Amino acid sequence: LLLRQTEDTRAAAQAHEQLTTLVASGGGPADLCAMLAQRVGGRVVVCDEGGRQIVAADRDGRIEDRAQAESWVDDAVYAALPESSRTGRSVACGNLRKVCAVLGGNERLGGLVLYADQPLNDMRARIFERGAMVMGVVLLVKAQRASSLMSDASAVLHGLVYGAGGNFEPLARQAERYGLNIRQPMRLLLIRAERDDRAYLCRQLMDRLGTPGALFDNLGESLLVLVNESQIAHVRTAALSCLGRYRGKFSGILSGPIQDSRTLPRSLDMAERSLALLDALGRHGEIFGEEQLALYAPLFSRADAAAIENFLDATLGGLYTDKPLHDGRRVDLARTLLAYLDHGHHAAEVARHLGVHINTLRQRLEAIDTLLPDWRTAGRALEIHMALRLWQLRDHDLSAPRDRRS
């Protein structure tokens, strides 16, 4: 027993020395992952704080090719990371799986996951946990290096969106260093997410964009991205990639083209109003175009869910609130009326759009006449059309004809 303990202590010391030497010589996460996989005898995966796999290596130290589709750790592993952060030790996650949080200061930067061939003894567990400590140093240095590349981007962005007293020349020169030309049309993307996750999403955007061309930073309760019109498709794809497996609640607004940099404060205000409206509507998990909300944001940005409910109730009457009418039937009628108004009262086009027979359309319009008698009057048509669009924004089921989906 004494000999075995001595050998374990020597092996742990050698592993620690090897880890230290690897980092001192400039080794990155992949090198550390491969070394740990060999030392502890199992497959090792490194993930970021959101659960996205960064690198993986098998027990022989071969680094897996992660150039294909992104991979994410499962929910059980992700749920074990906070406990490991709290205890500072690895946590069992199944019979032959261990999870250890990777920390940088007081911040969790990710985690190590070990898929072992056999239960870990104390020596291999210590090596695994020490590897997580060293990985924390490597990831922290990497994050600080990336942050230094965008050192004054935050100041430039704040100066642009909050106004610079008309003196945009210095800001224009600074923005060009990041590939942003403020004399060309721009777009503004505003994303609201959980407070603790905004810095993570900002780093993910930085990783995915890869090349200069955008300014982004945390702004109040949101993540703000400013980019030239020509790059918006790339930025939107990167943002959706970040948010695709994001486990928290988010909503986003993409502004229309901004031709004059002096109007950036106005565009930011409109985007913030639109996000407030989405909160009131309870719509999350999507990035909306500003044009979808432009009519409603100034009117309802300070309203809550109850105020919007009262507006729909008062404007749409029995079409919205008639309880004896089956919900599915009422939604069909509302969708039919919205399509009828959208298509300028052209019955044949509406029937084709909804995928129903023209006689079915006429029967629905007669039912609407009973529930909402004054909908055809000129003074009410605009209010009703606006209320139906707002209902559509709030309830996704109103967006696509049920007949077509079935």
Side-chain angles (χ1 to χ4, degrees):
L1 177 62
L2 183 60
L3 285 173
R4 188 161 56 248
Q5 290 175 341
T6 302
E7 287 299 321
D8 286 350
T9 301
R10 183 181 296 111
Q14 289 174 348
H16 182 211
E17 182 179 355
Q18 188 177 358
L19 285 167
T20 305
T21 302
L22 192 60
V23 173
S25 62
D31 303 309
L32 282 175
C33 184
M35 186 276 236
L36 278 174
Q38 288 180 300
R39 277 287 181 177
V40 297
R43 179 173 179 262
V44 174
V45 173
V46 185
C47 68
D48 63 21
E49 63 265 50
R52 182 172 66 96
Q53 294 186 17
I54 301 171
V55 66
D58 62 23
R59 60 174 294 121
D60 296 322
R62 291 188 296 266
I63 298 171
E64 297 178 9
D65 181 12
R66 313 217 59 80
Q68 304 301 320
E70 290 187 340
S71 300
W72 299 74
V73 299
D74 60 45
D75 292 340
V77 169
Y78 185 76
L81 287 174
E83 183 182 352
S84 177
S85 299
R86 180 178 56 81
T87 62
R89 301 297 302 272
S90 58
V91 176
C93 189
N95 292 333
L96 296 175
R97 186 166 60 175
K98 293 280 264 186
V99 178
C100 193
V102 174
L103 305 176
N106 296 323
E107 184 180 1
R108 189 170 77 236
L109 301 177
L112 289 184
V113 188
L114 171 64
Y115 301 86
D117 299 330
Q118 56 186 345
L120 263 66
N121 59 21
D122 289 342
M123 180 271 292
R124 291 202 299 159
R126 285 200 303 271
I127 293 175
F128 181 60
E129 291 168 357
R130 183 59 60 90
M133 292 176 58
V134 176
M135 185 68 73
V137 175
V138 173
L139 292 182
L140 183 61
V141 170
K142 180 183 176 183
Q144 290 174 338
R145 187 179 299 127
S147 178
S148 68
L149 296 176
M150 301 288 289
S151 56
D152 61 345
S154 176
V156 176
L157 185 59
H158 282 239
L160 289 171
V161 298
Y162 287 123
N167 185 17
F168 280 92
E169 283 305 314
L171 291 174
R173 290 192 295 270
Q174 289 177 293
E176 285 177 358
R177 290 169 46 197
Y178 298 102
L180 179 71
N181 186 348
I182 68 172
R183 298 177 181 84
Q184 297 294 324
M186 295 176 286
R187 290 283 193 109
L188 185 151
L189 176 62
L190 197 64
I191 300 170
R192 182 168 294 166
E194 306 290 341
R195 177 177 296 275
D196 294 338
D197 296 334
R198 288 196 291 272
Y200 166 69
L201 291 175
C202 195
R203 287 195 296 271
Q204 289 297 301
L205 265 180
M206 194 180 301
D207 287 343
R208 284 171 168 81
L209 290 177
T211 57
L215 295 176
F216 42 89
D217 191 32
N218 292 321
L219 191 71
E221 298 181 352
S222 306
L223 171 63
L224 175 65
V225 184
L226 184 63
V227 63
N228 282 124
E229 171 77 14
S230 59
Q231 296 293 318
I232 191 58
H234 177 44
V235 171
R236 181 167 185 163
T237 300
L240 289 173
S241 178
C242 290
L243 298 165
R245 289 293 300 269
Y246 173 59
R247 290 174 166 91
K249 185 170 65 175
F250 78 91
S251 53
I253 293 293
L254 179 63
S255 76
I258 302 167
Q259 306 292 340
D260 188 344
S261 57
R262 290 172 294 186
T263 65
L264 278 169
R266 192 187 316 153
S267 296
L268 176 61
D269 179 68
M270 183 62 184
E272 289 176 335
R273 286 173 179 264
S274 298
L275 281 181
L277 173 60
L278 290 178
D279 285 342
L281 292 172
R283 288 299 299 271
H284 303 287
E286 297 179 58
I287 294 178
F288 287 83
E290 181 185 284
E291 68 280 358
Q292 296 175 266
L293 306 171
L295 178 61
Y296 310 97
L299 298 175
F300 296 101
S301 61
R302 290 181 174 82
D304 56 13
I308 291 175
E309 183 75 13
N310 291 337
F311 170 74
L312 295 176
D313 191 2
T315 306
L316 298 177
L319 182 62
Y320 183 74
T321 60
D322 191 9
K323 300 306 179 187
L325 191 67
H326 189 272
D327 280 346
R329 174 65 172 165
R330 184 164 58 244
V331 168
D332 282 341
L333 294 177
R335 190 184 297 117
T336 298
L337 181 54
L338 178 57
Y340 192 73
L341 295 172
D342 283 345
H343 289 80
H345 299 211
H346 196 295
E349 285 188 16
V350 175
R352 282 195 299 271
H353 172 74
L354 295 175
V356 299
H357 194 275
I358 190 71
N359 290 336
T360 303
L361 174 63
R362 292 195 181 100
Q363 291 169 5
R364 290 184 182 181
L365 293 177
E366 289 172 2
I368 292 169
D369 287 334
T370 303
L371 295 169
L372 195 60
D374 59 345
W375 72 271
R376 296 179 186 270
T377 61
R380 287 276 288 144
L382 177 60
E383 295 176 6
I384 292 169
H385 201 171
M386 180 176 175
L388 287 169
R389 286 286 185 85
L390 191 62
W391 187 3
Q392 181 188 47
L393 281 171
R394 191 192 65 181
D395 298 339
H396 190 68
D397 284 345
L398 207 66
S399 300
R402 191 168 57 181
D403 309 271
R404 285 189 184 279
R405 287 181 298 166
S406 62

